[in-house]
């Protein structure tokens, strides 16, 4: 049985029309779910008995189960159990502009980036739309607060779960749903070119971030298996098209790895690659993990890299490090403690 949180407003309207129920009833159901946050169909008191029964017989309304919560000053990490006992994580960060929740899109990940802890657990399955939506609802309920920004940067590759991610965005963005503006939602991808093409066609106005991490194919091949399928030139070309069509600025994420991609020459090459592209580079101090031998670049090297990009007129920020106190305690998603998309400008 589907969870009611899997369904976009449009799909619920069609479902009601197919069942000879007035379309506007779908809006009422959405209000019960997303504004009043009821936990059973029986509480939807403006529905007729047979409408309630139709929902009750065909949908569940189950929430996720929080099985662990770790807290530090500006960061909270949640571990959830899904109905099939798989576990996923989400991380909430406080910022001066609000808070952002970093959401998982899959159980495990198949992209095989060599520096990334999440990929050590191969993809078990995609998350359902409801399992992404409920990460938000569950945490809002737990903290009795509203989440202002959503980033799809948790475990998994959002564009490897494309259709569910699009429905997820529709519900988060919908004014009868979670009602968050497009600019408050960010999708991050390792660069699945055909999916970026599809994303351009779908015309979603959310922010797009690209995990680039290298200025050329030679280095990127070593770090990211996806680069063997979609070369850096193909990725840059599709991003240029994305910017042309959407007129939106793209973020390039660049993890700074000691001795791998952090020289001045690398910075010069990156500047050439990105020249004239409406974008900014977010330099990310690598979050070291005990299972992987990469080390984080020295501070001076990060600063020199930053200066070189600046000199070459590339917009650049350095991501603020988050919750390093929690690092030792966290599992696969330790990287996410450092996520901050709109990082400090220095
Ligand atoms: N698959 C998507 C989203 C998940 S990864 C993507 O590749 O963009 C989210 C971000 O965290 C990516 O930029 C990823 O490269 C980065 N990341 C992974 N491991 C990290 C680590 N140990 N330290 C810092 N960032 C990391």
């Amino acid at each position: 049985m589907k969870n009611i949180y899997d369904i976009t407003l449009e799909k619920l309207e069609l479902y009601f029309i197919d069942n000879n129920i007035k379309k506007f009833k779908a809006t009422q159901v959405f209000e019960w779910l997303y504004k009043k946050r009821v936990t059973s169909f029986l509480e939807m008191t403006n529905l007729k008995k047979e409408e309630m029964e139709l929902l009750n017989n065909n949908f569940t309304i189950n929430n996720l189960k929080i099985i662990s919560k770790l807290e530090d000053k500006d960061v909270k990490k949640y571990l959830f159990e899904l109905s099939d006992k798989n576990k996923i994580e989400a991380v909430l960060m406080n910022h001066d502009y609000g808070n952002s929740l970093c959401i998982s899109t899959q159980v495990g990940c198949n992209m095989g980036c060599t520096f990334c802890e999440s990929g050590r657990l191969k993809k078990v399955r995609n998350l359902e739309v409801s399992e992404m939506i409920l990460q938000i609802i569950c945490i809002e309920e737990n903290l009795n607060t509203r989440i202002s920004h959503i980033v799809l940067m948790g475990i998994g590759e959002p564009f490897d779960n494309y259709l569910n991610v699009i429905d997820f965005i529709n519900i988060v963005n919908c004014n009868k749903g979670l009602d968050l503006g497009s600019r408050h939602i960010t999708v991050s991808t390792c660069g699945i070119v055909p999916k970026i093409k599809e994303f351009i066609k779908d015309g979603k106005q959310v922010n797009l971030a690209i995990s680039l991490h290298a200025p050329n194919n030679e280095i990127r091949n070593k770090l990211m298996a996806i680069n063997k399928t979609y070369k850096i030139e193909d990725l840059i070309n599709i991003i240029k098209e994305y910017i042309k069509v959407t007129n939106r600025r793209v973020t390039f994420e660049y993890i700074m790895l000691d001795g791998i991609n952090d020289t001045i020459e690398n910075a010069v090459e990156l500047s050439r690659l990105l020249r004239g592209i409406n974008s900014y580079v977010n330099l990310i101090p690598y979050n070291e993990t005990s299972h992987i031998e990469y080390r984080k670049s020295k501070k001076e090297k990060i600063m020199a890299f930053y200066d070189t990009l600046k000199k070459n007129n590339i917009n650049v920020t350095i991501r603020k490090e988050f919750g390093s106190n929690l690092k030792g305690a966290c599992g696969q998603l330790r990287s996410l403690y450092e996520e901050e998309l709109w990082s400090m400008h220095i």
Side-chain angles (χ1 to χ4, degrees):
M1 234 194 310
K2 279 224 166 254
N3 190 305
I4 192 72
Y5 289 101
D6 286 324
I7 315 291
T8 63
L9 182 60
E10 255 179 6
K11 287 184 180 169
L12 192 60
E13 285 174 348
L14 291 175
Y15 178 78
F16 277 179
I17 290 166
D18 281 349
N19 285 279
N20 297 316
I21 296 173
K22 294 249 165 37
K23 191 173 134 181
F24 77 90
K25 288 283 178 173
T27 303
Q28 292 185 342
V29 171
F30 257 56
E31 271 163 8
W32 287 113
L33 293 174
Y34 294 99
K35 309 286 182 242
K36 299 181 193 136
R37 306 280 166 101
V38 300
T39 53
S40 117
F41 295 115
L42 304 178
E43 292 172 70
M44 302 182 175
T45 48
N46 54 3
L47 298 190
K48 291 191 188 136
K49 191 161 169 280
E50 57 272 23
E51 294 164 349
M52 249 183 232
E53 273 168 11
L54 180 78
L55 292 176
N56 216 10
N57 294 335
N58 291 287
F59 296 97
T60 66
I61 189 170
N62 299 338
N63 209 332
L64 304 179
K65 199 164 119 200
I66 298 176
I67 55 173
S68 144
K69 180 177 166 187
L70 297 172
E71 289 186 57
D72 197 9
K73 198 166 117 298
D74 285 325
V75 57
K76 293 185 179 59
K77 177 183 159 138
Y78 288 82
L79 187 67
F80 298 104
E81 189 174 85
L82 308 175
S83 51
D84 63 359
K85 304 281 183 227
N86 275 308
K87 290 172 188 58
I88 54 165
E89 303 182 32
V91 181
L92 183 74
M93 287 149 292
N94 293 328
H95 308 277
D96 41 10
Y97 58 76
N99 54 22
S100 67
L101 182 64
C102 183
I103 289 206
S104 293
T105 55
Q106 299 180 314
V107 179
C109 182
N110 269 353
M111 295 300 119
C113 300
T114 52
F115 51 82
C116 179
E117 184 78 6
S118 315
R120 296 200 318 125
L121 171 66
K122 286 278 157 275
K123 181 171 117 181
V124 176
R125 65 174 177 85
N126 283 331
L127 291 189
E128 299 295 339
V129 178
S130 56
E131 291 168 331
M132 294 186 266
I133 291 288
L134 287 167
Q135 292 174 55
I136 306 172
I137 289 193
C138 204
I139 291 175
E140 286 193 338
E141 202 178 279
N142 182 261
L143 299 175
N144 196 20
T145 189
R146 285 304 309 268
I147 288 162
S148 64
H149 292 73
I150 303 289
V151 295
L152 278 76
M153 289 188 184
I155 292 180
E157 166 52 47
F159 283 178
D160 185 36
N161 184 11
Y162 186 79
L163 292 176
N164 284 350
V165 163
I166 294 294
D167 274 4
F168 167 85
I169 292 171
N170 283 337
I171 295 173
V172 173
N173 202 205
C174 171
N175 62 356
K176 304 291 179 210
L178 286 170
D179 198 18
L180 277 193
S182 303
R183 275 140 219 248
H184 290 222
I185 307 168
T186 300
V187 183
S188 176
T189 177
C190 64
I192 304 180
V193 169
K195 295 296 176 192
I196 301 177
K197 220 175 240 169
E198 210 169 323
F199 193 63
I200 297 174
K201 280 207 208 100
D202 279 333
K204 295 274 160 265
Q205 291 295 306
V206 300
N207 304 310
L208 181 63
I210 304 289
S211 295
L212 186 62
H213 307 324
N216 60 43
N217 285 316
E218 196 193 334
I219 299 177
R220 201 163 190 265
N221 281 341
K222 284 191 199 136
L223 298 177
M224 303 176 76
I226 192 77
N227 200 68
K228 292 180 186 142
T229 312
Y230 306 111
K231 299 265 153 284
I232 228 168
E233 306 79 60
D234 302 335
L235 181 58
I236 295 297
N237 280 338
I238 196 70
I239 291 307
K240 283 183 181 159
E241 193 180 325
Y242 171 86
I243 294 168
K244 204 164 104 196
V245 174
T246 61
N247 217 6
R248 296 185 63 78
R249 188 158 85 154
V250 164
T251 305
F252 289 105
E253 297 161 277
Y254 194 103
I255 296 180
M256 299 293 295
L257 297 164
D258 186 33
I260 305 284
N261 63 357
D262 62 349
T263 63
I264 300 288
E265 292 73 41
N266 296 150
V268 170
E269 196 175 5
L270 184 64
S271 309
R272 256 189 241 122
L273 184 72
L274 302 184
R275 184 166 299 151
I277 298 179
N278 182 18
S279 62
Y280 80 91
V281 176
N282 198 194
L283 298 178
I284 308 171
Y286 181 57
N287 196 347
E288 294 176 6
T289 96
S290 50
H291 313 274
I292 300 171
E293 77 272 22
Y294 294 122
R295 291 289 157 252
K296 126 204 284 173
S297 301
K298 309 266 170 313
K299 242 199 178 99
E300 311 80 66
K301 277 208 145 173
I302 299 181
M303 288 318 297
F305 200 95
Y306 172 91
D307 287 340
T308 309
L309 292 183
K310 273 259 139 149
K311 248 184 256 146
N312 284 286
N313 294 319
I314 301 292
N315 300 313
V316 54
T317 59
I318 299 178
R319 185 172 288 177
K320 179 179 157 191
E321 288 187 61
F322 253 96
S324 38
N325 291 345
L326 280 187
K327 208 156 117 181
C330 67
Q332 300 161 319
L333 264 195
R334 66 191 73 201
S335 59
L336 296 177
Y337 292 109
E338 293 185 343
E339 298 295 355
E340 192 207 18
L341 206 74
W342 299 272
S343 335
M344 59 174 188
H345 293 249
I346 50 172

